Amino acid sequence: MSKPKRRVPNPSQERPPRGASKKHKKAPERSQGSHDEVLAHDLNDVLASLRLSDTSSASAPDSESSPHLPLLDTEIILTITTLSSTGAGIAIHNHRPYVVPFAYPGDTLTARITRHTAATTTSPAYSSAFPISVTTPAPDRDDTLVKCKYFGLCSGCQFQPLPYSKQVEHKRRIIERAYRNFSTLPAHEVPSVAETIGSPLQYGYRTKLTPHFDAPPTSRRARRHGEKVHWEAVPDIGFNRADGSRRVLDVEECPIGTETVQKGLVRERKRVSRELDRYQRGATVLLRETARRIPRADLKDQSQKRASESKEQAGSETKDPSTTLHDPGPESDHVIEKQCISDHHAYTTEYVGSTIFKNNANAFFQNNNAILPRFVDYIRDHVLAPPSPYPSSTSHLNEHTASTATKPTATRPKITNLIDAYCGSGLFSLTLVPLFQNTLGIDISSESIRAATENLRLNGLSPDSPSHNPASTQRGQSHPATAKSSTTTSSAIETAASAGAQTATLSPAASTDARTARSTTAHPSAAPPSSAPNDPNHPKITFTTGDASSLFASADYKIFTPDTTAVIIDPPRKGCDEGFLTQLFQFGPARIVYVSCNVHTQARDVGWLLKAVTDGDSSGEGNKEGEKAGKEGEEKGVDEVERGERDRTDGRGYGEQGEGSEEAKSEHVDKKRTGPRYVLESLQGFDFFPQTAHVESVAVLQRTE
């Protein structure tokens, strides 16, 4: 009996969006800020600007095929009109959108059709194409700027031909679009987005890369039969190809990596080749920079020691070729020795100004340390209430926003306390400790809390110092606002600072064009630290484990009163679930600083906070089964070199999404507001990832009543 023939897809057939079945999965009731959602908004905006409805696209959403669509793998000439927030260009041809990577507004190019995607309830039908040649380059395109020999082949770094000024300008537009499309806020409640603060380094900035390689095609069969996997050749080691084939592109160098990381890549490629028989599966190679500061006074002895070791290790495999020595300049009292770590269980050391951070090599930490001092300075300057009702930092607010601005500082309590949610290893808690009398850092990951505690000690904030322990002294008590959802927290690892200890200070900030010296004096509203170690007003810092269902139960509300407390939140890409946002809103801190690696989920959450109500059951307790935390997986089109970097895969996702239905949320919003009111004071982008479409965003919210 002959086997039935395999059905060959029609080359002009529209396919469901990636990740969806033919019977489209029900769209989540709450926006996830995914790649497809962001692209859908951009496509709808382009069609609307041309007065084209999504129904005028070349075929109906559920049609199997259409004679109007070009066949797959055929060539088409397109002119790019828009640069999407995902980093790809958008063209319109015969009333249908085409999405083309590595293309910019004004480009006329020849492209190969790779996919037709059917329409959904939120997205128009569109086609994807891959550029072959550029006939007429865009005005902003300058191919001489490209520094990577894999540009156009590797899926990362799509913006290399664009001048850097155009890159940061586009990232400001990404934030504007995000708040227009995802916040549901009226335009008059959203302040003008400030110019994106650029990275001092546009290449050689990444302190972490994660290339990977795949197992041979026969590996599954071998493992299934208990056989050893046979490698016929060294596999390609690198990042995903840009053509969507899901194959690995062999990459020998990556110019956005630091010098140390690039040397580590060379070293690890050789090691994998030598030890290939050890691998039974494909693997991800960790490349993480670690630093050590050497006092200049010790440099001569260190140099002599290294010279002696080099002679002994000449020709030896034990010598680490990734080691580099960096001199910050004659004004510095130290030099920096850097190495590339590849052991997932090892620890790395990084510096932000004069503050030292030790982390597990595979844990999350910002991986562009060139911009970190400027970034932390900005948070320091904005975490406390402004010294006047209409400070210069909010002079860009429109008339409506200004009318709801804060009361003069003299009429409200001084902010003296900080709650650092999603604190990780203590980046904000430790660098801002001089500003506050009490700091509480909370994270769900016990490993992160252990790292934060160790970083206290490394910065002279000894765990043996007199401490305040709210989790133990207030055991069994919770803030009234969180009583309904409070549960017992995990065992806390808590430490506190002493006044006589060294506190974290920052080195001169780095500007976009050059590093310019700037003093890092305390904010005028900062609580002055006492010089007496046992002074009850002396700054205290505590780290504790917690989760979204009981986050504010970790705080002693007699100390962390809403009027005197600022909250910093820095969640993973999926943003905050409604359970967390409800607690935050009910707690009602005087000031909120929301740091985000996904401005679209940030916009969604900020919109929720500005429109939330507290009467009625808005906590989502009865809807826990509704929507669970979204997957942390890689999004389509995300730079391969950034894969997993900002997904916070170190266990920092905070529980389930406590979200009710759209109807229930609408009902809550329509009710009379009884909780605190917030104004969105400022929006600021930071370019942590030059040459890519990713932008970090900081939103500052001030309570007005």
Side-chain angles (χ1 to χ4, degrees):
M1 183 177 177
S2 61
K3 294 183 179 180
K5 291 184 178 181
R6 182 181 177 187
R7 182 176 180 271
V8 179
N10 188 319
S12 65
Q13 177 181 333
E14 286 185 328
R15 301 166 62 186
R18 297 181 189 273
S21 62
K22 289 185 179 179
K23 293 181 180 179
H24 298 309
K25 295 180 181 178
K26 182 181 178 182
E29 294 174 342
R30 189 166 185 251
S31 170
Q32 301 299 301
S34 67
H35 174 279
D36 288 342
E37 280 185 283
V38 174
L39 180 60
H41 278 291
D42 287 346
L43 294 175
N44 284 324
D45 287 346
V46 172
L47 291 173
S49 68
L50 299 176
R51 297 184 177 180
L52 299 173
S53 68
D54 56 320
T55 57
S56 67
S57 294
S59 69
D62 297 322
S63 64
E64 285 296 309
S65 63
S66 170
H68 302 293
L69 291 177
L71 298 178
L72 297 182
D73 292 325
T74 58
E75 296 181 4
I76 188 173
I77 297 177
L78 300 170
T79 298
I80 305 300
T81 61
T82 305
L83 186 59
S84 76
S85 295
T86 65
I90 298 176
I92 300 294
H93 182 75
N94 288 341
H95 306 296
R96 184 181 180 89
Y98 284 77
V99 179
V100 188
F102 309 105
Y104 317 103
D107 274 340
T108 297
L109 46 78
T110 301
R112 175 175 54 85
I113 306 298
T114 58
R115 183 184 177 95
H116 298 306
T117 302
T120 67
T121 56
T122 57
S123 173
Y126 68 94
S127 298
S128 301
F130 196 78
I132 296 175
S133 61
V134 177
T135 305
T136 304
D140 293 333
R141 177 191 278 270
D142 182 356
D143 290 327
T144 65
L145 297 174
V146 176
K147 294 187 178 181
C148 180
K149 63 183 180 181
Y150 304 107
F151 175 74
L153 301 175
C154 175
S155 61
C157 304
Q158 294 189 9
F159 287 176
Q160 289 188 72
L162 293 180
Y164 191 55
S165 61
K166 297 298 181 180
Q167 294 186 34
V168 294
E169 180 182 319
H170 177 64
K171 295 185 181 189
R172 180 179 62 81
R173 289 196 296 270
I174 291 176
I175 299 175
E176 291 176 339
R177 291 176 186 169
Y179 274 81
R180 183 174 67 245
N181 295 328
F182 288 85
S183 73
T184 70
L185 293 172
H188 62 255
E189 291 189 19
V190 180
S192 300
V193 180
E195 293 183 6
T196 303
I197 294 177
S199 171
L201 300 175
Q202 287 89 59
Y203 285 93
Y205 64 84
R206 285 192 67 103
T207 57
K208 181 181 180 181
L209 290 175
T210 51
H212 64 281
F213 59 90
D214 292 334
T218 59
S219 61
R220 287 188 177 182
R221 182 182 181 281
R223 291 196 302 269
R224 188 166 56 247
H225 290 81
E227 301 172 356
K228 186 175 181 180
V229 173
H230 174 66
W231 299 83
E232 295 183 355
V234 177
D236 290 335
I237 304 172
F239 308 110
N240 280 0
R241 289 180 175 271
D243 59 7
S245 64
R246 298 183 182 275
R247 292 181 298 139
V248 177
L249 175 71
D250 196 52
V251 173
E252 297 178 337
E253 61 183 44
C254 183
I256 64 171
T258 64
E259 177 188 4
T260 303
V261 166
Q262 293 205 62
K263 287 185 175 182
L265 175 60
V266 174
R267 180 196 68 197
E268 289 304 296
R269 286 174 58 88
K270 293 179 180 178
R271 181 190 62 78
V272 170
S273 179
R274 290 194 310 268
E275 303 175 1
L276 193 57
D277 287 341
R278 289 198 313 111
Y279 293 94
Q280 298 300 295
R281 302 174 184 270
T284 296
V285 179
L286 174 66
L287 304 171
R288 189 71 182 253
E289 183 177 281
T290 186
R292 182 170 69 98
R293 289 182 174 178
I294 303 174
R296 287 189 183 276
D298 300 338
L299 185 59
K300 184 176 181 180
D301 293 338
Q302 292 280 350
S303 299
Q304 292 174 347
K305 182 179 178 181
R306 282 196 299 273
S308 176
E309 291 175 347
S310 297
K311 291 180 181 179
E312 296 175 2
Q313 297 175 350
S316 172
E317 293 293 335
T318 59
K319 182 180 179 180
D320 186 356
S322 74
T323 303
T324 57
L325 198 65
H326 296 260
D327 191 340
E331 71 282 356
S332 175
D333 62 354
H334 63 268
V335 295
I336 306 172
E337 182 183 74
K338 297 182 179 181
Q339 288 184 323
C340 183
I341 299 295
S342 296
D343 182 356
H344 289 248
H345 302 290
Y347 284 84
T348 60
T349 301
E350 301 195 45
Y351 296 85
V352 180
S354 60
T355 308
I356 185 171
F357 292 92
K358 184 177 180 181
N359 300 277
N360 181 280
N362 204 36
F364 172 78
F365 196 81
Q366 296 284 4
N367 52 34
N368 179 349
N369 55 23
I371 197 174
L372 268 179
R374 179 73 181 274
F375 177 64
V376 172
D377 279 348
Y378 181 88
I379 303 297
R380 176 191 289 109
D381 292 342
H382 290 78
V383 70
L384 297 176
S388 64
Y390 312 114
S392 57
S393 62
T394 58
S395 59
H396 59 275
L397 299 184
N398 54 44
E399 182 178 353
H400 174 87
T401 306
S403 68
T404 59
T406 59
K407 298 176 182 179
T409 304
T411 66
R412 63 174 182 261
K414 182 183 298 183
I415 295 177
T416 57
N417 306 306
L418 173 67
I419 294 178
D420 181 8
Y422 307 89
C423 70
S425 58
L427 174 63
F428 299 124
S429 296
L430 293 174
T431 54
L432 302 180
V433 69
L435 300 183
F436 301 98
Q437 291 179 357
N438 300 281
T439 298
L440 174 63
I442 309 172
D443 202 290
I444 193 173
S445 169
S446 58
E447 176 63 31
S448 293
I449 295 301
R450 280 192 290 270
T453 303
E454 172 66 6
N455 290 332
L456 275 175
R457 185 189 65 80
L458 291 175
N459 287 281
L461 307 174
S462 171
D464 297 327
S465 302
S467 65
H468 171 72
N469 187 337
S472 61
T473 58
Q474 295 294 324
R475 199 174 304 279
Q477 298 185 28
S478 62
H479 193 282
T482 61
K484 288 194 296 184
S485 59
S486 294
T487 60
T488 304
T489 59
S490 306
S491 298
I493 302 175
E494 297 139 347
T495 56
S498 69
Q502 298 175 356
T503 56
T505 57
L506 292 178
S507 63
S511 65
T512 301
D513 299 321
R515 298 182 184 227
T516 56
R518 185 170 75 87
S519 63
T520 55
T521 56
H523 190 284
S525 299
S530 169
S531 59
N534 295 320
D535 191 320
N537 294 322
H538 158 66
K540 304 175 181 69
I541 182 169
T542 301
F543 290 106
T544 181
T545 53
D547 57 41
S549 63
S550 58
L551 189 71
F552 291 99
S554 302
D556 180 357
Y557 64 88
K558 294 181 180 178
I559 294 177
F560 291 89
T561 61
D563 288 347
T564 62
T565 300
V567 173
I568 294 178
I569 52 178
D570 185 10
R573 289 190 62 84
K574 67 181 179 182
C576 304
D577 63 43
E578 281 204 27
F580 172 85
L581 291 174
T582 297
Q583 291 182 69
L584 178 62
F585 182 77
Q586 291 174 339
F587 178 70
R591 202 159 175 84
I592 300 171
V593 178
Y594 191 143
V595 179
S596 178
C597 58
N598 184 344
V599 65
H600 306 94
T601 52
Q602 181 196 64
R604 176 201 67 196
D605 294 344
V606 168
W608 192 99
L609 286 168
L610 266 63
K611 298 173 68 175
V613 296
T614 55
D615 52 342
D617 181 18
S618 60
S619 64
E621 286 296 309
N623 298 282
K624 284 293 184 181
E625 72 278 11
E627 177 185 333
K628 295 187 178 180
K631 278 189 174 182
E632 298 290 326
E634 175 184 348
E635 296 177 344
K636 180 183 73 174
V638 170
D639 292 341
E640 181 62 22
V641 293
E642 293 188 36
R643 188 175 57 165
E645 292 296 315
R646 297 309 312 265
D647 288 338
R648 311 292 171 93
T649 54
D650 54 344
R652 295 179 64 197
Y654 279 107
E656 293 184 335
Q657 304 267 0
E659 179 176 43
S661 66
E662 288 292 334
E663 293 80 7
K665 285 189 288 182
S666 298
E667 180 183 353
H668 296 320
V669 172
D670 290 340
K671 290 185 178 181
K672 183 178 179 181
R673 187 182 189 109
T674 60
R677 290 184 181 273
Y678 286 94
V679 60
L680 179 54
E681 185 179 283
S682 61
L683 286 169
Q684 177 67 65
F686 287 85
D687 188 16
F688 273 78
F689 303 106
Q691 318 308 331
T692 79
H694 295 275
V695 60
E696 194 95 359
S697 175
V698 179
V700 179
L701 284 70
Q702 175 67 43
R703 198 186 70 205
T704 60
E705 60 177 68

